[in-house]
């Protein structure tokens, strides 16, 4: 049971705990999936602890934790891309209405009514518009948001009100920046497909070696899952393989703008 609790603790840490002074983040659509994954991993760890030895259990923890981390990173990247596209569409509608002479609040209401609702962007934008319409500070609502793009929009709105700069010009620049960043990101991800495929192949290459050894009549799985020196080699090998996969993913991720 110690190993099962260890797996659950590692997965909780990877899921991103917040400290007492951390900024509140909006709920993500994957939270329910992540909770289900944590429960499934806990149950699997309990079963494995009963069936297999300690070394195999530790190797399973490393594999499951690495897989959970990768899926979480992939989901977060896809969510950021979706948010950027929706915000660019929102800004485009706002800019068009501002050119027609309407106020920022009316432009935001029109853009919100004519774009696909998003559970991250829409509530904050609606709150900002409602606050500005009632005489409060709409830009401050956006500046206090957790999403960087909304914070940037809030600063632009506040700068326009403070210095009299036409807001439509600032919004156009922000929208162009988001669109340019998206195009650059798409081209970069396309160029990185080859290295990503290579990283996956290198990660599963040890498994191919085990299958080849089994086909030749050896028993590598029996050695690695039998405890002792073989179990220690299993933990070291799986740990190095997982570390290489994580480092490679981080390098490729840093090359692609988020």
């Amino acid at each position: 049971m110690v190993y099962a609790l260890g797996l659950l603790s590692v997965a909780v840490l990877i899921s991103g705990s917040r400290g007492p002074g951390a900024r509140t983040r909006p709920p993500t659509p994957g939270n329910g999936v992540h909770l289900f994954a944590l429960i499934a991993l806990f149950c699997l760890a309990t079963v494995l602890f009963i069936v297999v030895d300690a070394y195999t259990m530790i190797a399973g923890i490393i594999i499951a934790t690495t897989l959970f981390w990768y899926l979480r990173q992939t989901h977060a990247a896809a969510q950021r891309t979706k948010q950027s596209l929706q915000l660019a569409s929102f800004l485009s509608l706002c800019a068009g209405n501002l050119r027609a002479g309407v106020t920022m609040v009316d432009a935001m209401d029109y853009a919100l009514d004519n774009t696909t609702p998003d559970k991250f962007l829409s509530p904050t934008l609606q709150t900002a518009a409602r606050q500005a319409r009632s005489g409060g500070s709409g830009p401050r609502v956006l500046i206090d948001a957790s999403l960087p793009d909304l914070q940037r929009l809030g600063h632009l709105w506040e700068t326009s009100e403070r210095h009299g700069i036409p807001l439509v010009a600032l919004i156009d620049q922000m929208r162009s920046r988001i669109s340019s960043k998206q195009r650059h990101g798409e081209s970069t991800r396309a160029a990185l497909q080859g290295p990503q495929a290579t990283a996956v192949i290198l990660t599963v290459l040890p498994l191919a070696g085990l299958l080849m050894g089994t086909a030749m009549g050896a028993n590598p799985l029996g050695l690695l899952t039998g405890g002792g020196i073989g179990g220690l080699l299993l933990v070291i090998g799986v740990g190095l393989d997982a570390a290489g996969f994580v480092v490679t993913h981080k390098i490729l991720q840093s090359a692609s703008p988020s």
Side-chain angles (χ1 to χ4, degrees):
M1 186 60 67
V2 174
Y3 300 106
L5 293 176
L7 174 58
L8 182 60
S9 301
V10 172
V12 169
L13 289 176
I14 290 180
S15 65
S17 59
R18 293 186 294 113
R23 171 174 288 182
T24 302
R25 296 180 180 179
T28 62
N31 279 344
V33 177
H34 293 162
L35 179 61
F36 176 78
L38 291 178
I39 296 175
L41 290 176
F42 178 77
C43 296
L44 177 62
T46 304
V47 173
L48 289 178
F49 177 72
I50 299 174
V51 176
V52 302
D53 64 284
Y55 288 117
T56 307
M57 179 66 196
I58 295 174
I61 290 175
I62 296 173
I63 294 173
T65 303
T66 304
L67 180 60
F68 182 81
W69 173 84
Y70 174 74
L71 293 176
R72 189 171 184 272
Q73 292 290 314
T74 302
H75 174 78
Q79 187 62 45
R80 288 193 298 269
T81 301
K82 178 182 176 183
Q83 290 173 357
S84 295
L85 291 174
Q86 291 180 333
L87 183 58
S89 177
F90 170 85
L91 293 176
S92 179
L93 291 175
C94 280
N97 281 272
L98 288 173
R99 289 193 188 91
V102 303
T103 63
M104 179 59 177
V105 176
D106 291 333
M108 291 177 66
D109 289 339
Y110 177 83
L112 288 170
D113 290 339
N114 290 273
T115 54
T116 304
D118 180 84
K119 64 172 56 180
F120 301 114
L121 301 175
S122 299
T124 304
L125 292 170
Q126 290 170 354
T127 302
R130 186 167 56 250
Q131 190 79 0
R133 188 180 296 277
S134 62
S137 177
R140 180 52 53 183
V141 174
L142 298 179
I143 293 173
D144 292 337
S146 60
L147 298 177
D149 284 335
L150 291 182
Q151 295 173 10
R152 189 173 297 110
L153 178 59
H155 284 297
L156 294 179
W157 190 357
E158 186 179 57
T159 300
S160 174
E161 291 182 345
R162 181 178 302 173
H163 301 287
I165 302 174
L167 184 56
V168 62
L170 300 178
I171 288 181
D172 272 336
Q173 290 180 2
M174 182 176 176
R175 180 185 56 81
S176 298
R177 178 182 176 276
I178 293 175
S179 299
S180 176
K181 186 177 179 181
Q182 287 297 323
R183 290 192 297 270
H184 177 61
E186 291 174 359
S187 62
T188 302
R189 283 189 291 270
L192 290 176
Q193 286 182 353
Q196 286 175 342
T198 302
V200 173
I201 292 174
L202 291 177
T203 301
V204 301
L205 195 60
L207 179 60
L210 292 177
L211 295 177
M212 184 179 298
T214 303
M216 294 174 61
N219 187 22
L221 291 177
L223 173 65
L224 296 175
T225 59
I229 299 298
L232 182 61
L233 292 175
L234 174 64
V235 173
I236 295 174
V238 170
L240 292 175
D241 195 29
F245 176 78
V246 171
V247 171
T248 302
H249 182 75
K250 282 290 186 182
I251 293 174
L252 295 176
Q253 194 177 42
S254 64
S256 178
S258 58

